[in-house]
Each structure stands twice: as C-alpha cells, then as structure tokens.
Amino acid sequence: MADIRNYTLNFGPQHPAAHGVLRMVLELDGEVVQRADPHIGLLHRGTEKLAEYKTFLQAVPYMDRLDYVSMMSNEHAYVMAIEKLLGLEVPIRAQYIRVLFDEITRVLNHLLWLGAHGLDIGAMTMFLYTFREREDLMDCYEAVSGARLHAAYYRPGGVYRDLPDTMPQYEAAKMKVHSAQAVADMNSNRQGSMLDFIEDFVRRFPACVDEYETLLTDNRIWKQRTVGIGVVTPERALALGLTGPMLRGSGVAWDLRKKQPYEVYDRLDFDIPVGVEGDCYDRYLVRMEEMRQSNRIIQQCVDWLRKNPGPVITDNHKVAPPSRVEMKQNMEELIHHFKLFTEGMHVPEGECYAAVEHPKGEFGIYLVSDGANKPYRLKIRAPGFTHMAAMDELARGHMIADVVALMGTFDIVFGEIDR
C-alpha cells in the first residue's frame, strides 16, 4: 500500500484561478487541504499613499484602477466621501445617472465573474457568451467617458457630462470581414440615443441570462463542482466580515442599497436575492439573480432619465468647473476653471466614511481632510481583502480542485486587495 505523503504546494501565482498575482501556500494531506496561506502584495501600488500627494480631483482615476472590473462603483464611494465632507447637494439627474452606471457596472462585473468562474472550473463556453454582452456595456462606458475601462466619469458634485445623444457606430473593415448588410445589422440598435441603446440591451438581456442558466444551473458537472463547497453559516459569514454576494449567499439579506440607501435607491423597486446553504452554488445563484435585478433598476433609471432633463453636476464652481462656453466668455469663470484644475478644491477639516454596495461587497472610503487641497489620509475598505482572509477557513478539508472553485466564488480582483 502506498504511503500518503504530506506536501506543501505553491498554488500560483501562475495558476489560472490565482488571477496572476496571488501566491497561495497549501499544506496538503494527500490531495486534501489542511491549511491555505494566501500571500498577497505582488501587485501593491500604494494607491492610498499616492492619493495623499494628489488633489481630490486628481485622485479620482486611481479609484478606477483598484477593482478594474467595477470601475465606476469605486469612484462612487470616493466622490460620496468628498461630498459628505463638503456637505454638497448632488443634482437629482446626476444621482439617477450614477445609479444607472452602478448597475451597468454590476452587470459588467458579474458577467466577467461568471465567464472566469466557468473557465476556472472547465466550462469554456461561458467565457465566450458573457463577453458578447460585456461588449455592449463597454460601449456605453466608452460613449459616456471616452474610455472602455478607466472612466473617471463620476466627479465630486455629480458626473462629468450628460448622457450622449448618439452611440458609436461599427464601420466596415478594410479586410471586408463583414458585408455592408452585416455592418448595417450590427448598427441597427445604435441609431438613437444612448438611452435607446441601453433600453434595447435591457430588453435582450434576460434571455441572455436564461442562456447562461441553461448551460450551468442544472448542469450536473457544475453542481458537482460547486454544491457543498465552501459552506459558510450566516454566523460565520458575519464574523468573518463577508459582504455582498458572499454574505447574501449564506442567507443574510444585507444590502446597503436597501439597508442604508444612498443616491436614489430608496425610490427604486428591486429585490435582494439570498441563498440558503451558503455554498459556492448558492453564491452563483445569488449573482445570477442580481443581474436580473440590476436589469430592473437600469430600466427604471432609463424611464426616469427620459422624462426629466436637468443639470448633472453642481453649480458650485469651487468644486466643479464651469461650462466651456462660460469659461471662454467670462473672466471670473476662467479663474474658477484655472484654480480648480491647478490648485484643486479645499475640503473642510474632518473625517468621514462612505460606502457603496459594490458588485463584490461593501466598498468603503475612509477620508480624513485637514482643510487642504489633498486628502490627509485615505483608507480603502476593499471587499476582496476580507474575503481572501477567509480562504484558510473555507478551504480546509476540501480537495485542491475545490480551491479553484473557491477562488471563483470569491470573485476577487487583486487591484483592490493589494491597493
């Protein structure tokens, strides 16, 4: 009979499920995990310290680069913290646009999570399906901010600009890959405004989620890989500091959009999906339902935005720049513009914490100001950091292959963990 040997194994950082920048040392008894020790810091960029050397406005793009799958959600927490210290009123239209893009970001995040989680476990097709829908939403990001990922669209006091009246169009490639008719078909839903395009997406998207569920939800291989894996009781989930789908998968109906509403979430109709067993499969089901609920919220925002034009950023020029037209016609506005972009805004002395229901959990910004034009201290509360800390407890007693499923169910991005 063969001896069972104990191994200490390096899981990553090259492993596909380790997302490139995690080294995890696994202590094994045969193929069973006895201990999992995540080593982080391989992506550390010092965002919190860098922000202390930038003006409040210059630090906005750093937020995009934290969790680079949920860009605008990161920005949202940061600008909310600044607005709290300034006591700033955000125009109602800007609040609806922020909620619209928060939910578009949630769908973007969950689509990447689903594609990557499926790929990690062996469901190759999922990655191709989910990226098909991501492309449309990435086009919305690009149309509104000029960038596909790092948008820097949210600003203290509102958003950078209103939603555009046109969408980018596909053009025929020089290689003649598509016929003229095929290009016209691809542009058929891009003839109107951005709200028309989003509405068309909202109409199509539930059928896409049905497709994903057809592939996975009752797939016996998927269930064998996820049912009963990484079970967390509601009590342990709370004790470990889990948030978002990781907490709701264990049956705790905690969602900041309902429990501590911000912006206009208290005016919108949506449900909080919760799990029962607290395993990888339940967390999968929770995120799938979250995409459907986000779709409902997006539709409500589109309906409201159609009927209610208005300003999208505060008219306080100590915080937000004047319009280009005003700036070029009026000396006082030119001075405001110059002062804001060279010196930046001065935020009153004080400290505050602002959190949003980020796609991965509670993303918070603890901001300390000493009255200067830069943050005195900035602390980021990243959901993935706490989830990563739970890896040891969740992985014990499982097989090596189950560690891959756990990495997927955490839905971690190391930009926010290493900061």
Side-chain angles (χ1 to χ4, degrees), residues 365-387:
I365 296 283
Y366 176 66
L367 187 64
V368 182
S369 172
D370 59 356
N373 61 341
K374 299 179 176 76
Y376 176 71
R377 284 287 181 273
L378 178 71
K379 174 74 178 79
I380 297 160
R381 192 268 179 211
F385 185 81
T386 316
H387 298 162

Side-chain angles (χ1 to χ4, degrees), residues 72-220:
M72 290 198 198
S73 295
N74 305 334
E75 295 173 20
H76 198 167
Y78 177 65
V79 297
M80 272 172 54
I82 295 171
E83 287 156 6
K84 230 179 200 180
L85 286 176
L86 284 166
L88 206 59
E89 190 68 40
V90 178
I92 189 72
R93 184 173 173 85
Q95 292 186 39
Y96 269 96
I97 291 174
R98 283 179 176 185
V99 169
L100 172 73
F101 271 98
D102 275 9
E103 296 309 316
I104 285 175
T105 304
R106 194 176 313 279
V107 173
L108 275 170
N109 181 92
H110 286 0
L111 286 174
L112 185 86
W113 156 79
L114 182 60
H117 192 19
L119 197 61
D120 288 343
I121 292 180
M124 177 80 187
T125 317
M126 286 312 306
F127 203 70
L128 307 174
Y129 271 45
T130 56
F131 267 66
R132 177 188 61 190
E133 274 69 64
R134 264 178 69 86
E135 275 308 299
D136 282 342
L137 295 179
M138 293 264 78
D139 284 348
C140 294
Y141 257 55
E142 192 172 1
V144 84
S145 72
R148 280 168 59 84
L149 265 110
H150 302 318
Y153 180 59
Y154 292 14
R155 301 292 165 88
V159 293
Y160 165 58
R161 63 171 185 173
D162 210 340
L163 304 179
D165 294 328
T166 56
M167 281 297 289
Q169 307 280 310
Y170 286 106
E171 294 179 5
K174 290 178 183 173
M175 300 286 289
K176 297 287 185 279
V177 181
H178 299 289
S179 67
Q181 184 56 50
V183 174
D185 291 344
M186 288 159 69
N187 284 326
S188 61
N189 60 353
R190 294 165 178 265
Q191 301 309 307
S193 68
M194 185 172 168
L195 286 174
D196 296 329
F197 180 77
I198 294 173
E199 192 154 41
D200 177 70
F201 178 86
V202 167
R203 184 179 48 75
R204 292 183 285 115
F205 189 58
C208 298
V209 182
D210 292 341
E211 279 183 356
Y212 311 149
E213 295 227 50
T214 303
L215 279 170
L216 290 185
T217 302
D218 289 322
N219 183 314
R220 68 180 180 173

